Amino acid sequence: MKILLYNPDNGVTRNFMPHLWMFLLQSLTPAGHEVILIDGNAQPMDEAGIARFVREQNIGLVGIGAMTRMIAKAYRMADAIRAVGVPVVMGGPHVTEEADEALGRNGGTRHADAVALGEADETWPKIVEDAVRGELKDIYAPVDEFGQERKPSLQSYPAIPWDKINLKQFNLVPKIAKGMLQKLGDGWGTFRIIPMESGRGCPYGCEFCTVTGFFGDSIRFRTNKSVVDELLLLKARAKSELGQIAVFFIDDNFAINPRRTKSLLRDIIAAGAQVNWVAQISANLLRDEELVDLISASGGKWVFIGMESIDPTNLADVKKGFNKPGEYAAVLERLAQRNVFAITSFIFGMDNDTTGVAERTLKEIRTWPAGLPIFGLLTPLPATPLYKRLEAAGRLTRPKHWQEFIPFEMAHTPLRMTIAEAHAEVKYGWTNAYSPEALEKAVNSYAHKPLGYRINIFIARMCFRGIYFPQMGRFAWLKTISENRRTIYGLCKDGFAAWRGRPAPAEKAASTTARAA
Ligand code: B12
Ligand code: SF4
């Protein structure tokens, strides 16, 4: 049977990274089936397009995975596929929480023939077998023979064949530049960010988060060897293609067990399996100097930190009191000293937020080493403790907000400001953190670092501004580039000077200062 695994686009930006579930389920598919992957972010498709594709390709089963924010698109695509007589199975966090909605059991349209609840590592092979026999059940739940929920162990994690998978759709290097960039340094003909997990589960249970409910509070890890082997495979592939890869460790808290994380990072270093990587780690775990040393030595370049708020009352409200705003600056300094930078994520519209929260937060941010701040709104995702609390308090303004997803739009009323004020705070945050002046300041704040770091932060900032400011298409990019021409000119000038063998003015100034000291 031919199986299509499809992930809908997020409707706003082109995602920078494919979704792991597709590769994982492809690897777990019983032998004898062909599995095709389409990520709508890389290969945009509409309803008519997907219906045509499944017909022409003679697809026998379609699997669709989606987060809450993409679910409306996922349902529309599923409806189009089912209309041409091909069965659809849906999985992922949203339908796990809202299975009745997907199955049309709550009075609405039925969108899926079957729903896979929770982690589908063990149920997927059964789903495929049932689909072959034409006997799909409505619900597949990961349970043991006694009907008790069973979380798959990651000890026998499948080897994802990264050396053979067709990754063409996930190359971030524009086709036009490929030939030229292949010759640059070790080769930049391809650049891909690959998702990889080293463990699952988070015990912290923050009120707005789906993870503790979905993956459970018991943490499970892959073996160090299986992670190291996967990194080596990816590294070899990039080398053979005269390209580069970076890895996003998608664990919700990559250092949740610092002893284990350190042992993994030591094994990566010992095996020469270092690639540039990004991971999510909570600020409290980054107090550990040895851990930060190992992060840097093993290739860690960016750490995503869910700071959420600089207000301890807000943090306590959402059960994230383990975040201590007073130590954010020290944590970021510790990382920056080792050339590791932070993606700092903030939520506005929390219960203790008042107008001016964006400027208060930016004021703090400006005192930290420059990184990538991101701003969002408190969002009641289905089945989270936050959703239940707001629902009980009658504060949900759009209880089924996912059915009509609108980016950066609240679905409940904040306590100490209006919805419009919360929206304005997010806009203020993005506008001021990503203005051409702020970008220039961020780049120049690293004048003492090699040019590569300044280019890295500049490109990252240019891409991240697209999360809020639509930046799709050539024209939008040209406009952004033109607005930031002063910074680009400065970087080019330094690059040219470095190429001519002279220290860039910024580096020269830094070395003079060092000598004077
Ligand atoms: C990586 C990641 C991202 C990436 C993007 C996704 C990518 N390209 O991989 C980035 C960093 C961009 C991101 C962004 C966001 N994310 Co995110 N992200 C994750 C994260 C950390 C890992 C996802 C992952 O790969 N997990 C590992 C795989 C193996 O698990 P899985 O995807 O759930 O798949 C398993 C099952 O669900 C099931 N399954 C999944 N799909 C399918 C399909 C079929 C057919 C079947 C049978 C089974 C199945 O089988 C798989 C194996 O067991 C998760 C948290 C988590 N631990 O999952 C959050 C998570 C998915 N993100 C979340 C959110 C809210 C967001 C944002 C909206 C945050 C924001 N406010 O901006 C944005 C929006 C993204 C966008 N604009 O597209 C929520 C989603 C909750 C929900 N109900 O939708 C999660 C769960 C985290 C949380 N805090 O609650 N995210
Ligand atoms: S620490 Fe992160 S993953 Fe864990 S519950 Fe809190 S927000 Fe979710």
Side-chain angles (χ1 to χ4, degrees):
M1 182 171 61
K2 258 185 168 178
I3 301 169
L4 168 66
L5 297 181
Y6 171 76
N7 201 99
D9 59 275
N10 65 32
V12 183
T13 53
R14 194 194 134 168
N15 250 0
F16 58 89
M17 175 174 81
H19 290 259
L20 180 59
W21 71 266
M22 307 175 96
F23 302 108
L24 194 55
L25 295 195
Q26 185 181 36
S27 309
L28 291 167
T29 304
H33 303 285
E34 184 188 345
V35 184
I36 300 167
L37 310 183
I38 295 185
D39 185 330
N41 293 297
Q43 269 182 264
M45 253 189 199
D46 60 10
E47 290 87 325
I50 201 151
R52 199 176 325 115
F53 184 86
V54 294
R55 259 199 332 261
E56 285 171 5
Q57 293 290 320
N58 204 16
I59 302 286
L61 174 69
V62 178
I64 302 183
M67 295 183 206
T68 294
R69 66 179 273 156
M70 292 84 150
I71 205 67
K73 169 88 188 240
Y75 287 156
R76 287 198 301 277
M77 296 302 259
D79 295 348
I81 296 162
R82 294 182 77 235
V84 293
V86 178
V88 171
V89 50
M90 296 186 80
H94 185 84
V95 295
T96 296
E97 314 301 356
E98 296 284 334
D100 284 353
E101 177 185 85
L103 292 168
R105 288 174 173 178
N106 58 0
T109 311
R110 181 172 186 146
H111 307 287
D113 294 274
V115 165
L117 301 181
E119 296 172 61
D121 309 52
E122 290 171 1
T123 45
W124 175 245
K126 290 186 200 128
I127 295 172
V128 174
E129 281 163 20
D130 286 359
V132 170
R133 287 198 306 270
E135 291 173 6
L136 274 176
K137 298 181 188 63
D138 281 4
I139 299 238
Y140 290 84
V143 289
D144 62 18
E145 57 273 33
F146 306 107
Q148 297 294 313
E149 188 187 12
R150 182 160 81 185
K151 299 280 179 207
S153 156
L154 302 186
Q155 286 294 301
S156 54
Y157 199 79
I160 301 179
W162 289 116
D163 47 341
K164 297 188 191 79
I165 297 178
N166 180 350
L167 292 173
K168 219 169 163 185
Q169 64 181 314
F170 305 117
N171 186 9
L172 297 176
V173 173
K175 258 190 227 143
I176 188 167
K178 191 176 169 172
M180 189 180 73
L181 292 176
Q182 261 177 349
K183 297 179 193 119
L184 199 74
D186 296 336
W188 278 87
T190 55
F191 176 58
R192 298 189 183 97
I193 303 179
I194 300 293
M196 186 183 290
E197 59 185 339
S198 92
R200 286 185 199 164
C202 178
Y204 288 169
C206 304
E207 195 194 28
F208 52 80
C209 180
T210 312
V211 169
T212 307
F214 187 90
F215 288 100
D217 53 7
S218 79
I219 309 148
R220 290 148 289 146
F221 296 117
R222 291 169 65 179
T223 62
N224 287 0
K225 183 175 181 316
S226 116
V227 177
V228 169
D229 288 349
E230 199 172 327
L231 286 170
L232 288 170
L233 204 59
L234 282 166
K235 209 173 165 177
R237 175 165 185 166
K239 195 170 173 203
S240 73
E241 289 177 348
L242 298 176
Q244 305 286 325
I245 64 132
V247 162
F248 189 136
F249 283 112
I250 56 89
D251 306 35
D252 290 293
N253 209 335
F254 185 57
I256 190 73
N257 177 337
R259 257 181 68 184
R260 183 268 174 178
T261 310
K262 288 183 199 173
S263 105
L264 172 63
L265 298 181
R266 283 193 199 99
D267 284 2
I268 290 174
I269 297 166
Q274 295 101 319
V275 299
N276 290 339
W277 59 260
V278 188
Q280 313 181 88
I281 304 179
S282 55
N284 56 326
L285 299 170
L286 292 164
R287 291 175 192 137
D288 185 329
E289 298 270 350
E290 189 189 25
L291 174 69
V292 184
D293 281 339
L294 285 165
I295 288 175
S296 164
S298 61
K301 289 283 174 286
W302 290 94
V303 175
F304 180 104
I305 306 178
M307 292 186 159
E308 326 304 6
S309 177
I310 53 165
D311 175 355
T313 307
N314 272 335
L315 292 165
D317 280 351
V318 295
K319 313 278 176 293
K320 201 156 182 173
F322 57 87
N323 263 9
K324 305 288 176 214
E327 68 176 1
Y328 289 168
V331 161
L332 299 183
E333 284 293 348
R334 199 170 293 133
L335 290 170
Q337 277 160 13
R338 286 136 175 113
N339 295 325
V340 181
F341 300 97
I343 303 164
T344 47
S345 167
F346 295 93
I347 300 175
F348 295 153
M350 291 172 111
D351 280 356
N352 204 39
D353 277 345
T354 51
T355 50
V357 59
E359 179 51 33
R360 287 193 293 279
T361 309
L362 284 169
K363 212 169 142 202
E364 286 284 310
I365 292 175
R366 289 185 200 112
T367 67
W368 302 337
L372 297 170
I374 54 179
F375 310 96
L377 287 159
L378 189 62
T379 306
L381 292 168
T384 54
L386 173 70
Y387 191 98
K388 292 172 191 158
R389 173 166 70 87
L390 294 173
E391 188 178 39
R395 289 175 58 195
L396 294 176
T397 50
R398 296 189 297 133
K400 301 268 176 199
H401 52 91
W402 51 88
Q403 288 176 352
E404 203 193 328
F405 172 72
I406 311 170
F408 295 103
E409 179 130 356
M410 288 201 81
H412 74 277
T413 322
L415 274 187
R416 305 187 60 197
M417 55 181 165
T418 64
I419 289 180
E421 283 166 346
H423 294 171
E425 293 297 330
V426 171
K427 187 170 184 196
Y428 185 97
W430 282 100
T431 307
N432 286 279
Y434 288 85
S435 65
E437 296 73 37
L439 255 73
E440 189 176 12
K441 245 189 194 160
V443 170
N444 290 346
S445 71
Y446 290 122
H448 57 292
K449 302 245 184 218
L451 182 64
Y453 288 99
R454 279 172 280 149
I455 295 178
N456 186 336
I457 188 130
F458 179 69
I459 294 178
R461 281 231 178 187
M462 290 282 274
C463 294
F464 265 56
R465 75 181 284 294
I467 297 174
Y468 188 80
F469 299 105
Q471 206 165 264
M472 299 287 279
R474 225 169 267 179
F475 180 72
W477 269 102
L478 282 176
K479 188 166 169 270
T480 311
I481 289 170
S482 153
E483 283 168 0
N484 289 281
R485 60 189 177 276
R486 236 177 51 189
T487 313
I488 297 173
Y489 174 71
L491 288 169
C492 290
K493 213 168 76 181
D494 288 359
F496 188 65
W499 178 69
R500 298 272 313 265
R502 298 191 206 123
E507 283 165 30
K508 208 162 120 190
S511 72
T512 317
T513 322
R515 272 201 305 277

